[in-house]
Amino acid sequence: MSFFGPVAELAARQHGAISSAQLHRAGLTESRVRTLEAKGVLTRAVRGVYVVAGSVGSWDRELMIAVLVAGPLAVVGHRGASGLWRLDRFRPGHVEVAVEVPAPRRRAGFIVHESTLLPARDRTTVRGVPVTTPTRTLIDMGRFVGAARLGSMV
């Protein structure tokens, strides 16, 4: 079996995105990754994350890229999670991730929110994208919206 079969399957589950670390764990050397990039099989989305040729650009893919950049325990949070959960009037578009401290405050194209506590019970997935649970999302949104809007979100 080709090495790329498992890589393609993983990228497909991640909306076409795959991290350098995942490529290396699958057995690809840095040289092989550069060759695949030169051939157009992989395209660098941001430093450390690629997209597979032919994958469809989407908000879900942008969220997945942000999660992959932010680290293995990152999840979509805050307004991004509100959009994924379709809470109140939140629409797809925000790209925000939540991570346990320490983390960089901002990365190119998305916002990183640090949390001192982001346990497994506050994490789940929607359409294959790691995201905070609805309850945790509502708690986090308390800093962005007023009480009336938060109530309508509930």
Side-chain angles (χ1 to χ4, degrees):
M1 177 194 267
S2 163
F3 71 87
F4 203 71
V7 169
E9 289 172 18
L10 175 59
R13 288 194 307 272
Q14 297 179 159
H15 302 279
I18 191 160
S19 72
S20 296
Q22 291 171 324
L23 290 167
H24 296 310
R25 280 195 300 273
L28 278 75
T29 64
E30 191 59 39
S31 173
R32 184 67 175 141
V33 171
R34 282 194 305 273
T35 299
L36 291 172
E37 189 176 6
K39 290 182 176 184
V41 175
L42 296 174
T43 302
R44 183 181 299 228
V46 294
R47 185 176 184 189
V49 179
Y50 295 87
V51 293
V52 176
S55 64
V56 178
S58 66
W59 181 56
D60 287 355
R61 185 170 83 181
E62 293 305 310
L63 293 172
M64 200 65 223
I65 290 168
V67 166
L68 290 170
V69 168
L73 297 178
V75 293
V76 174
H78 301 76
R79 291 169 288 205
S82 294
L84 269 175
W85 291 115
R86 300 177 189 261
L87 297 176
D88 192 36
R89 295 179 301 270
F90 283 92
R91 302 278 190 277
H94 288 283
V95 181
E96 296 180 63
V97 296
V99 297
E100 286 191 14
V101 293
R105 296 257 182 234
R106 184 161 176 82
R107 296 280 186 134
F110 65 95
I111 298 168
V112 177
H113 297 279
E114 292 181 342
S115 175
T116 56
L117 184 64
L118 192 56
R121 71 174 176 270
D122 289 343
R123 305 165 190 259
T124 190
T125 59
V126 172
R127 298 191 305 268
V129 178
V131 63
T132 52
T133 62
T135 301
R136 175 60 186 255
T137 300
L138 290 167
I139 291 167
D140 291 340
M141 287 305 295
R143 74 186 268 208
F144 294 105
V145 300
R149 186 156 184 208
L150 192 59
S152 71
M153 291 170 72
V154 171

